[in-house]
Amino acid sequence: MQLVVARIGRAHGIKGEVTVEVRTDEPELRLAPGAVLATDPASTGPLTIETGRVHSGRLLLRFEGVGDRTAAEALRNTLLIAEVDPEELPEDEDEYYDHQLIDLDVVTEDGTEVGRITEISHLPSQDLFIVERPDGSEVMIPFVQEIVTEIDLEEQRAVIAPPPGLIDDRAEIASARDAGQESRDAGQEAGEAEPESRGSGDAS
């Protein structure tokens, strides 16, 4: 099974290194020197990793045959794809591969449907579930134990305990908008009553 493990970013320096957006929980395994990766577009690869290092929190890779900035820049936005055994599981029982999580149904602890996981975003600080809601909108859910309380692969679902505003922000915005409208309406009514008050004062 083929899985996207990284996307190549901009060139770094003049010796062929590139920054990469990591899309795997195991970069030390999938993006190690010597790894041969397929690419999208396919015409760019396959690419063999020659060296890898971390610089300012970003992973930098150099590929065999890519020796200058021009060649490195030509690889920008290329997806790196690894061949993975679909039966392979992470060593830690609390870790999951992206392909195990994609398409899981997301529900709250009381069973309320939230949506379906369409993508995993791997950020330096944490991973995010990109969840498509039934209305087609998207919500981002941090993949942390305090929020994602259960991953049930047999039932194909992820159970979450979202903090206020994480998935119901639109309702809050609508509520605030309604409250603002009510406030403006009240202000207008008060403004309309004001001239009558001044008029009665002048008459007396």
Side-chain angles (χ1 to χ4, degrees):
M1 179 174 60
Q2 291 190 323
L3 296 176
V4 174
V5 293
R7 182 180 67 85
I8 297 177
R10 59 184 177 81
H12 178 85
I14 61 174
K15 297 183 178 179
E17 284 186 312
V18 295
T19 62
V20 294
E21 173 191 319
V22 176
R23 298 189 179 181
T24 171
D25 288 333
E26 299 176 311
E28 69 284 350
L29 173 64
R30 308 298 179 195
L31 301 172
V36 180
L37 301 169
T39 61
D40 182 6
S43 58
T44 306
L47 294 173
T48 301
I49 298 176
E50 186 173 291
T51 63
R53 66 188 180 97
V54 176
H55 175 73
S56 298
R58 297 296 300 272
L59 178 61
L60 303 179
L61 297 180
R62 181 186 291 117
F63 301 100
E64 292 182 6
V66 180
D68 57 39
R69 187 179 183 87
T70 300
E73 191 63 36
L75 297 176
R76 192 166 187 169
N77 292 325
T78 296
L79 298 178
L80 299 177
I81 302 169
E83 190 69 38
V84 178
D85 184 343
E87 301 301 320
E88 182 181 338
L89 298 175
E91 293 183 2
D92 191 328
E93 62 180 14
D94 292 327
E95 292 183 354
Y96 302 88
Y97 289 140
D98 286 6
H99 71 271
Q100 295 176 286
L101 302 171
I102 296 295
D103 286 334
L104 291 187
D105 292 324
V106 179
V107 299
T108 60
E109 292 181 319
D110 64 4
T112 301
E113 178 187 6
V114 177
R116 177 179 61 87
I117 299 174
T118 58
E119 182 182 345
I120 313 296
S121 179
H122 299 281
L123 304 180
S125 57
Q126 64 186 10
D127 294 338
L128 293 174
F129 289 164
I130 310 301
V131 178
E132 181 179 320
R133 308 195 70 170
D135 63 4
S137 64
E138 290 185 339
V139 62
M140 292 183 290
I141 298 177
F143 187 17
V144 294
Q145 189 172 8
E146 294 79 7
I147 297 176
V148 181
T149 58
E150 180 185 359
I151 297 292
D152 189 333
L153 295 181
E154 288 189 6
E155 295 294 330
Q156 286 290 287
R157 69 178 186 176
V159 180
I160 65 171
L166 181 64
I167 62 174
D168 56 358
D169 54 339
R170 290 172 301 170
E172 292 184 0
I173 291 172
S175 176
R177 186 184 301 115
D178 292 342
Q181 184 62 47
E182 290 175 3
S183 177
R184 286 193 296 274
D185 292 344
Q188 288 175 356
E189 290 175 1
E192 291 169 357
E194 227 173 78
E196 295 178 6
S197 173
R198 285 197 300 270
S200 62
D202 292 341
S204 60

